[in-house]
Amino acid sequence: EVQLVETGGGLIQPGGSLRLSCAASGFTVSTNYMSWVRQAPGKGLEWVSIIYSGGNTHYADSVKGRFTISRDNSNNTVYLQMNSLRPDDTAVYYCARAPVAVAPFHHWGQGTLVTVSS
Amino acid sequence: EIVLTQSPATLSLSPGERATLSCRASQSVSSYLAWYQHKPGQAPRLLIIDASNRATGIPARFSGSGSGTDFTLTISSLEPEDFAVYYCQQRSNWPPKYTFGQGTKLEIK
């Protein structure tokens, strides 16, 4: 059974950094396309970043230069390093899996809440 | 950048009724459109792939149609568990970006 479990969320001050983790089971992250998607309070879904099976990465314009996606194949885990956090980064962050680059997100985690506030 | 516009923003219906949700793209996305169901506190759930194919385990009362710029998600007879927010989503080829519509809230009348 495919399972994605996000951890690492919390309350952080503006300008701070946080690293989110997404532990996967039931499949191998290195052969799939792993994304982070977020939902701000009262808003819709917003794609944030993706890491391809080959290792290429892509970002939404809103986070480019501040966020970095990576993975640890030995731990079957995907990460999102978030720097220079702003109040508008406040959201529930979901990890999601696609089997190929052009596919939609077949599996999602339950999400982890990030709150950026002083 | 392709923009997806969903309508209506809110749809109020009763169990047993038919629901029709719309998603319009600002330019053609061919058939590369997906639909998701999202309930508060839960993970989003993939319903429809490539405009009209049900994802694994999705009941037959859910169906998708359309191509190009106009797409529809139909729920033939609403069950109590179907009341949720529904999103359409597409992927642009280059640079790779994944866009969601703003969502349609399906609520119990």
Side-chain angles (χ1 to χ4, degrees):
Chain A
E1 180 191 1
V2 170
Q3 200 167 12
L4 297 166
V5 178
E6 302 96 333
T7 56
L11 175 63
I12 188 77
Q13 292 191 335
S17 297
L18 209 56
R19 189 179 82 157
L20 306 182
S21 300
C22 170
S25 58
F27 72 101
T28 303
V29 297
S30 62
T31 60
N32 284 264
Y33 294 74
M34 301 299 298
S35 276
W36 288 94
V37 178
R38 68 185 180 183
Q39 183 178 35
K43 303 293 185 181
L45 299 171
E46 178 191 19
W47 171 75
V48 171
S49 180
I50 188 169
I51 183 165
Y52 284 7
S53 59
N56 287 349
T57 59
H58 299 281
Y59 300 91
D61 291 342
S62 58
V63 306
K64 198 174 296 182
R66 300 188 298 123
F67 290 11
T68 302
I69 190 171
S70 63
R71 69 185 181 215
D72 181 341
N73 296 341
S74 61
N75 287 319
N76 212 34
T77 298
V78 178
Y79 301 100
L80 186 67
Q81 177 67 44
M82 304 186 295
N83 298 332
S84 303
L85 282 161
R86 310 186 301 221
D88 62 358
D89 294 317
T90 294
V92 175
Y93 284 74
Y94 297 96
C95 176
R97 167 195 170 259
V100 294
V102 297
F105 307 118
H106 284 237
H107 298 96
W108 299 66
Q110 295 286 336
T112 187
L113 175 62
V114 173
T115 303
V116 184
S117 175
S118 54
Chain B
E1 179 181 329
I2 296 176
V3 176
L4 299 178
T5 302
Q6 294 186 239
S7 61
T10 303
L11 186 57
S12 299
L13 294 170
S14 300
E17 290 193 292
R18 181 184 186 91
T20 303
L21 288 67
S22 174
C23 177
R24 176 164 289 178
S26 58
Q27 57 186 279
S28 177
V29 299
S30 185
S31 294
Y32 299 123
L33 190 103
W35 289 93
Y36 300 86
Q37 176 192 69
H38 193 199
K39 298 179 181 178
Q42 296 188 18
R45 177 190 183 195
L46 177 63
L47 299 174
I48 301 290
I49 303 167
D50 292 342
S52 60
N53 299 308
R54 278 189 301 277
T56 302
I58 301 304
R61 65 180 181 273
F62 291 92
S63 64
S65 63
S67 65
T69 60
D70 289 295
F71 300 86
T72 300
L73 174 69
T74 301
I75 310 171
S76 59
S77 179
L78 286 166
E79 298 286 342
E81 62 267 27
D82 297 337
F83 292 92
V85 179
Y86 291 83
Y87 294 95
C88 58
Q89 176 250 320
Q90 68 87 32
R91 174 194 180 273
S92 59
N93 283 332
W94 193 262
K97 289 189 185 296
Y98 301 78
T99 306
F100 291 90
Q102 82 279 18
T104 289
K105 182 179 181 181
L106 179 56
E107 65 178 22
I108 300 177
K109 187 174 182 179

